[in-house]
Amino acid sequence: MLRWVLPAVFTADLLLLIWNLARLKRFKRYLSNETFLEVLMFPDSKLYCKPYHFLPTGCRAGNKCKNDHEVNSMVKLLQFLLSADKSVDVCVFNITSSDLADMLIDLRSRKIKVRVVTDATELTGTQVPKLLNNGVPVRSELNCGNLMHHKFAVVDNEMVATGSFNWTQQAIIGNCENIMITNHKLSVDKYQCEFERLWKKFEPLVLQQSDV
């Protein structure tokens, strides 16, 4: 029985990966020689439907589903992260959204290089322990009175998403927030350089026993 279950699980995971990558071909058109800019506005009116947008089985609730089947701002942000081929560098003040943290963990499991910089005062009650526990390196500036208040992410050193948006549930469906996504080379280079500067300056966080 086991020898049938394992291939089935592997096949399901492979199909899910292929299906998601196929959906991202449309997003990858931005990685041409043409410069693009897309602005996302929050809050979304409803939470996105994860099965509908990101699982090949789709949403089984159909018309009874209370979540959003439209391509809202959260879906576009997740698609931006999913488009990574090589690396995702995240520099965000506050990370409490489990969906966004799970996306980074999933990307790392696919051999994408993922690095996170966050503020040292925003660690308790966040997704940082889960990221560390799943092998995602996180750095902060400890024992500092100043804030690491950036909110941006760089994908493959080719695109950047930046704005007022913290990675929190309140930002997704509560606050008035914005994200700008662009592949403008000078802009991307500026953000990548800033990330590298902070990555070298800040200290690696270590998972404490109390966080497990």
Side-chain angles (χ1 to χ4, degrees):
M1 179 66 178
L2 182 59
R3 61 184 177 181
W4 288 101
V5 171
L6 290 177
V9 171
F10 174 79
T11 301
D13 287 342
L14 181 61
L15 288 174
L16 175 58
L17 175 60
I18 293 172
W19 188 84
N20 271 325
L21 291 177
R23 283 175 63 89
L24 289 171
K25 284 184 178 179
R26 179 177 57 186
F27 196 91
K28 281 291 189 177
R29 73 182 185 274
Y30 293 141
L31 297 182
S32 65
N33 293 326
E34 296 182 3
T35 299
F36 80 93
L37 185 150
E38 181 171 8
V39 176
L40 311 181
M41 291 296 180
F42 292 87
D44 286 332
S45 59
K46 295 189 292 184
L47 290 173
Y48 78 104
C49 178
K50 185 174 182 178
Y52 180 83
H53 290 287
F54 295 105
L55 297 180
T57 55
C59 177
R60 296 178 179 177
N63 294 333
K64 296 181 180 179
C65 182
K66 296 180 180 180
N67 292 331
D68 203 345
H69 286 191
E70 298 296 323
V71 180
N72 60 22
S73 292
M74 181 60 171
V75 171
K76 290 182 179 179
L77 176 58
L78 291 169
Q79 288 176 338
F80 164 76
L81 296 171
L82 262 176
S83 69
D85 289 323
K86 298 172 291 185
S87 64
V88 175
D89 290 328
V90 176
C91 192
V92 174
F93 176 67
N94 192 353
I95 305 174
T96 61
S97 168
S98 58
D99 284 352
L100 287 165
D102 288 343
M103 175 62 71
L104 297 182
I105 293 168
D106 179 65
L107 289 169
R108 183 185 179 278
S109 72
R110 301 182 190 185
K111 309 303 180 184
I112 303 295
K113 181 181 179 182
V114 178
R115 299 183 294 176
V116 175
V117 166
T118 191
D119 188 73
T121 64
E122 298 296 319
L123 303 181
T124 303
T126 70
Q127 296 292 312
V128 169
K130 181 165 73 172
L131 292 172
L132 293 171
N133 197 42
N134 285 275
V136 176
V138 182
R139 295 191 180 188
S140 290
E141 186 172 27
L142 305 178
N143 303 316
C144 177
N146 298 320
L147 298 177
M148 198 305 296
H149 212 241
H150 286 314
K151 295 116 182 162
F152 68 85
V154 180
V155 165
D156 292 339
N157 197 18
E158 294 177 338
M159 295 187 293
V160 62
T162 183
S164 67
F165 182 87
N166 269 310
W167 286 21
T168 67
Q169 200 73 354
Q170 182 65 24
I172 297 169
I173 58 170
N175 298 343
C176 294
E177 308 279 4
N178 69 84
I179 295 176
M180 180 186 71
I181 301 176
T182 184
N183 64 348
H184 183 261
K185 186 175 185 338
L186 291 177
S187 299
V188 174
D189 289 347
K190 283 282 188 180
Y191 281 100
Q192 188 69 58
C193 285
E194 174 65 358
F195 183 90
E196 298 297 345
R197 183 184 74 85
L198 296 179
W199 188 254
K200 292 177 181 178
K201 179 182 178 183
F202 290 0
E203 302 174 43
L205 298 181
V206 178
L207 189 67
Q208 302 296 324
Q209 189 64 34
S210 59
D211 295 327
V212 178

